[in-house]
Structures are given as C-alpha cells and as structure tokens.
Amino acid sequence: MAKDGWEFWRVSNSSSGALEWLAVTRPGARAAIDREKVWTLLPKSRMFLANWFLTADFGREDDANEWVYENIDSVEAREVALEVPEPSTEVVTRLTHPESSLTLNQIDRHPVDRLLGKRVADKLANRN
C-alpha cells in the first residue's frame, strides 16, 4: 500500500488487454464512500478524478468485469502514468456526469503531484 493509504492499479481492457487507466483506491479512508471509490488519471489535466463507471466495475462480485485490475506499487505507477492514454472528450464528459454509483458532489479530484510526485506531474505536462 502506498503512502497515506493509497493503492495503485494498472487497469486494462478485459478483451484486448490494452492499458486504459492508472487508478488509485483508498481502502483505509475515513468515509465509507471513499473506501469504495476509484480515481483514474487524466494525464492532460494531471489529476486523478473519481471515476463512477470504474467504481461500479471494481466493486462487482461476478466475473463480468469490463476491466482487469492489477495492483502495482508506487514505483511502477510512476512509469504507468506516462503510458496511460488520454481519454476521449466523450469519456471525460461521461466521467463528470455520473449515471450510477457516485453522486455529482462525490466526483472529486486529487493532483498527480500529491500522489506520484512533482517529477511525474512535470513529465505529464510536457507529454505530447
């Protein structure tokens, strides 16, 4: 588990195996909703944004998950952060308009520099 109770996840498409997200969870959070929530990296904005559709998928107890979650350490997370594809405008719009699992006021953010360090944030800022 990372500093301050954060856990990092490499999230891949279950069909293709392609990397889609770098995610963080906080299983030891004080608020119950924050123990269930999944935040995903938006490279361009250098933020982890609460992701309601990944939160719903991560919490599933059947085998019908859309994504595969691989728990990784913070060193690997810093590398994966630089490989994460930028989500489309449609996906970002979908993230900021929750349909289930989270309410609009539960869609919060955490800066990359706070979770992965300034060096990763700077590299993301300079990414083409």
Side-chain angles (χ1 to χ4, degrees):
M1 195 176 299
K3 179 182 164 195
D4 298 327
W6 293 98
E7 287 188 358
F8 295 96
W9 302 89
R10 178 187 181 100
V11 182
S12 303
N13 182 292
S14 63
S15 299
S16 69
L19 173 65
E20 289 198 21
W21 303 99
L22 173 62
V24 294
T25 57
R26 195 162 191 187
R30 188 175 307 176
I33 187 61
D34 288 342
R35 289 191 297 269
E36 300 168 6
K37 205 182 300 184
V38 176
W39 292 265
T40 52
L41 176 62
L42 301 178
K44 187 175 181 179
S45 63
R46 298 179 312 281
M47 289 283 177
F48 282 92
L49 179 69
N51 183 323
W52 64 268
F53 50 91
L54 222 65
T55 296
D57 190 75
F58 187 76
R60 292 181 74 128
E61 294 185 11
D62 57 21
D63 291 331
N65 295 66
E66 187 173 342
W67 293 281
V68 175
Y69 304 87
E70 177 188 353
N71 190 241
I72 59 176
D73 63 26
S74 60
V75 173
E76 189 173 354
R78 287 179 180 93
E79 295 169 8
V80 172
L82 303 176
E83 300 170 9
V84 173
E86 188 66 43
S88 68
T89 303
E90 294 80 22
V91 168
V92 174
T93 299
R94 184 176 175 211
L95 282 173
T96 57
H97 294 88
E99 296 172 15
S100 66
S101 157
L102 300 174
T103 63
L104 189 57
N105 63 350
Q106 292 169 332
I107 305 292
D108 58 345
R109 305 164 187 262
H110 295 283
V112 166
D113 59 352
R114 182 172 164 249
L115 298 178
L116 294 175
K118 184 173 176 4
R119 184 172 292 154
V120 173
D122 290 346
K123 285 181 180 180
L124 287 173
N126 294 322
R127 186 167 107 163
N128 292 335

